[in-house]
Amino acid sequence: MKFKQKYAEELEDVFKKSSKNTKLLREFLKDLLTPLEYKDLAIRWQIVKNLKNKTTHRKIAKMLKVSVTTITRGSRELINKKGGFNLIYEKYYKTKAKKKAKKKSSK
């Protein structure tokens, strides 16, 4: 099969549209991916979050039952400060942490 960039752009558009409906997005992902691919993506995101929170590679490996090599790949991706992992984490997770801290301090 020949890949065309417009295929990726269409898929990205589907993600964008379905992201407003969690149940729909979940069902779409489960249909799109094999169970192993779905699990691997979820684990990969947990690796990224733990790395961003300064958890050691060995501790992550033990917690998630993955190899240190798998974690190293995620770690290499985080070197790119303008990469998707960093951008998503900064936008959605760092903001949440700031809001929680602000809420606690105002009580």
Side-chain angles (χ1 to χ4, degrees):
M1 176 170 31
K2 184 176 178 183
F3 175 79
K4 295 181 180 176
Q5 183 59 33
K6 69 179 183 177
Y7 300 159
E9 290 167 3
E10 182 179 350
L11 181 62
E12 291 162 4
D13 191 49
V14 169
F15 280 126
K16 181 180 173 185
K17 289 175 181 174
S18 65
S19 69
K20 295 172 182 78
N21 182 329
T22 307
K23 186 177 180 191
L24 176 62
L25 179 60
R26 183 178 299 119
E27 292 304 318
F28 178 66
L29 287 171
K30 286 183 176 183
D31 288 346
L32 183 66
L33 304 167
T34 67
L36 183 59
E37 289 168 336
Y38 190 82
K39 179 190 112 200
D40 286 348
L41 285 175
I43 295 291
R44 185 171 297 167
W45 183 244
Q46 294 308 306
I47 290 168
V48 169
K49 288 187 345 183
N50 276 283
L51 287 168
K52 292 293 285 180
N53 287 319
K54 310 283 188 235
T55 308
T56 66
H57 289 199
R58 291 201 186 282
K59 188 170 183 179
I60 296 169
K62 188 175 182 179
M63 271 188 332
L64 299 175
K65 297 181 179 17
V66 296
S67 72
V68 173
T69 306
T70 301
I71 297 160
T72 301
R73 183 192 180 283
S75 184
R76 280 197 311 267
E77 294 298 324
L78 287 172
I79 292 170
N80 178 4
K81 297 296 180 201
K82 295 188 185 217
F85 283 159
N86 279 308
L87 294 174
I88 291 290
Y89 185 86
E90 294 298 316
K91 181 169 181 145
Y92 294 107
Y93 287 86
K94 203 169 187 181
T95 304
K96 282 182 182 178
K98 283 181 183 176
K99 284 181 182 177
K100 278 185 181 179
K102 191 175 181 179
K103 227 179 192 179
K104 279 186 178 181
S105 68
S106 66
K107 287 184 177 182

